[in-house]
Amino acid sequence: MIGVMKVIALNGSPRPGGNTAHLLNCVLQELEAEGIATELVQVGGSNIRGCGACLKCMVRKDSRCSVEDDANGFMEKIFAADGVVLGSPTYFSNVTAEMKALIDRTGYVARANGGLLRRKVGAGVVAMRRAGGLHAFDTLNHFFLINEMMVPGSSYWNVSVAKDPGDAERDPEGIRTMQALGRNMAWLLKKLEAPG
């Protein structure tokens, strides 16, 4: 019997109720409509530092980072989920510092422990003012791909033109893109979970 699937979404924006959170919620609503459990977790503004390249995770192999800050709590949720949605606003053509720290450290720990992200479904969502957001989108997708994750597509790149507060809510194409992403992610999760 197939159990309840879960997708965790991590908001890299320092604004918990901002444009990035709105985009993530559009994706999560579609997943929930397909019977998939979801959780939105706030990463932006958390106590998380960048990877120090100590490589203790490669020695310890306990599915944790040796640095005791908020990262290990986020990693526990990521490793336990069937799917992961990472969201970030665009900061100088890339993701926020907290999101970058999280993907670097999670990637190291996952690889040190036999590929903890392998064949999970991953999708990135970016709020952007203009073209700089595509690099941020690439950063998230590179994280999924190097960790052997499955990445669903959508009707457009998973971005929204959203600079000022509330802009994402006024971007109908961005909303449609997130909704299609949620439906495609649900479809892929169910295909991967199906027996045989």
Side-chain angles (χ1 to χ4, degrees), residues 12-138:
S13 172
R15 297 177 176 151
N19 290 314
T20 305
H22 178 73
L23 299 174
L24 290 168
N25 279 317
C26 287
V27 176
L28 296 182
Q29 287 169 5
E30 297 297 322
L31 290 161
E32 290 166 3
E34 292 290 331
I36 296 170
T38 68
E39 181 181 1
L40 178 61
V41 176
Q42 182 63 31
V43 173
S46 65
N47 177 29
I48 180 172
R49 56 166 277 203
C51 179
C54 69
L55 301 181
K56 289 180 183 173
C57 58
M58 299 290 180
V59 175
R60 292 167 38 153
K61 299 187 183 302
D62 61 357
S63 304
R64 296 181 60 80
C65 179
S66 64
V67 177
E68 291 297 333
D69 59 12
D70 294 339
N72 282 316
F74 299 141
M75 280 188 244
E76 284 178 25
K77 290 176 180 286
I78 290 168
F79 297 148
D82 300 289
V84 179
V85 185
L86 300 179
S88 181
T90 304
Y91 281 17
F92 292 92
S93 295
N94 215 327
V95 297
T96 61
E98 295 94 337
M99 182 58 69
K100 185 66 170 103
L102 180 64
I103 65 176
D104 288 350
R105 289 172 61 191
T106 302
Y108 260 118
V109 171
R111 293 169 70 87
N113 290 275
L116 297 175
L117 297 172
R118 184 178 295 124
R119 298 191 186 109
K120 291 183 185 289
V121 176
V125 168
V126 174
M128 62 182 215
R129 187 182 77 81
R130 287 201 181 274
L134 294 180
H135 181 78
F137 184 52
D138 286 344

Side-chain angles (χ1 to χ4, degrees), residues 19 22-23 26 126-128 156-163 166-179:
N19 290 314
H22 178 73
L23 299 174
C26 287
V126 174
M128 62 182 215
Y156 192 72
W157 314 124
N158 307 337
V159 299
S160 175
V161 179
K163 176 183 176 266
D167 280 352
E169 298 172 44
R170 296 183 288 272
D171 178 12
E173 183 179 15
I175 291 169
R176 288 192 303 272
T177 300
M178 300 307 141
Q179 291 169 336

